[in-house]
Amino acid sequence: MSSNQLRIGTYNIHEADGDLAERQIEMLAAHDLDILSIQECGGTGWLDSTDPEVWEGAGPVLDRYARGLSMEGVAARSRADHRHTALLWRRDRIRHRSTNDYSRIAHRTFAQHRLDVDGVGDVNVMAVHAHHANGEVRYSEAKHMARLAAGPGRAVLAGDFNSVHGRPSGARWAHLAEPDLEPDIDRLPDYMLASQALFDAAGDPILDEEGRPIFDRRPSKVLQVGGFIDVAADLLPPQNRQQTGAFLNDDAPRRLDRVYTYGLAPVAFETAEDAKAQLSDHYLVIATVTVP
């Protein structure tokens, strides 16, 4: 890999612990990542304090993942529940400069990390776990991501976005990647349909030509209007983009886990499949990007 490239992974670990965590670490170590965004870091062991006002730290569980991956890391506290996020980085190439806490404007965590990367320079990286049950909050979170993460320089958004990729309408954005194929929304129970379908201003679901509700794609559209690139969508046609999450229970599998870049060009994208969801209910996804 070129010295001005980065391998960025995102993985929802589904609150793994014990032997399952060790198996995840073994799988992750095989992919030689520079940066890893982790979601659903369950329990108190990810931070070194139980004080709810201490929003950043490194507890024994985070240390376990970091040691197994030859990385360093920091966890950011979820304000809504015990499912925190964490960011890990290669210690021999990357230096962590600072973390900004924007979690009070998000459902769980919204942490912006400034990294100094050999061969690349300063990069703002945001570990994302978007709201799973409220489309309006996801929409608002995406607006904040676009505003806070980009600006001058380079930025990465990596995480579980809990939404489907779309493309903004209009000639100005016609060059962007095509939308993801529509997942099977009929698989969703009513309580999930209410949080995933797109509604109009009157509160009525927007329907396709066959009278079926459609998924809300507004968060991804906002990020693209803000200048971010969905790496997988940019490199792969819709039919070749793998579903990455929502494999368990009553749900519709879809590409929830994504890496967006600003000021960094997509090079490659891969998905580490997990047959029968033995390690998590999400797949690890990896984006390789470079300095243009």
Side-chain angles (χ1 to χ4, degrees), residues 10-14 16 20 23-25 27-28 31 242-248 257 270-285:
T10 181
Y11 191 41
N12 184 321
I13 65 171
H14 199 48
L20 179 57
R23 290 163 55 204
Q24 287 185 351
I25 293 168
M27 181 274 293
L28 291 164
H31 292 283
Q242 288 183 273
Q243 299 162 340
T244 66
F247 295 116
L248 303 178
D257 308 272
E270 59 189 279
T271 302
E273 293 191 33
D274 174 13
K276 299 182 181 179
Q278 294 182 21
L279 297 181
S280 173
D281 60 341
H282 290 251
Y283 290 167
L284 166 70
V285 302

Side-chain angles (χ1 to χ4, degrees), residues 51-133:
D51 183 347
E53 295 305 312
V54 177
W55 59 272
E56 177 188 37
V61 179
L62 174 61
D63 288 342
R64 179 182 181 187
Y65 276 78
R67 286 196 309 271
L69 300 174
S70 298
M71 299 175 109
E72 296 178 346
V74 63
R77 185 181 303 278
S78 168
R79 302 291 188 184
D81 53 27
H82 63 279
R83 298 179 180 93
H84 315 301
T85 62
L87 191 78
L88 291 86
W89 57 89
R90 279 182 57 174
R91 64 168 68 105
D92 61 348
R93 185 184 181 193
I94 300 173
R95 291 151 297 282
H96 186 271
R97 298 305 190 195
S98 63
T99 307
N100 291 327
D101 174 27
Y102 297 105
S103 61
R104 295 192 185 279
I105 59 176
H107 174 60
R108 286 197 174 99
T109 57
F110 191 45
Q112 179 183 14
H113 305 267
R114 187 168 69 87
L115 306 179
D116 178 17
V117 183
D118 291 345
V120 177
D122 284 348
V123 181
N124 284 326
V125 181
M126 305 196 77
V128 176
H129 192 188
H131 202 306
H132 67 291

Side-chain angles (χ1 to χ4, degrees), residues 7 106 168 231 251:
R7 279 176 60 81
V231 175
D251 210 337

Side-chain angles (χ1 to χ4, degrees), residues 107 129-145 160-164 192-198 215-220 222-223 254 256 258:
H107 174 60
H129 192 188
H131 202 306
H132 67 291
N134 190 316
E136 296 307 315
V137 173
R138 283 195 300 272
Y139 187 35
S140 175
E141 288 172 341
K143 290 180 179 180
H144 284 292
M145 290 179 216
D160 177 357
F161 287 83
N162 273 314
S163 60
V164 178
M192 290 187 66
L193 181 64
S195 69
Q196 292 293 329
L198 181 63
F215 276 94
D216 183 0
R217 300 170 184 251
R218 291 176 299 166
S220 68
V222 165
L223 293 175
R254 50 202 184 276
L256 301 175
R258 303 197 286 274

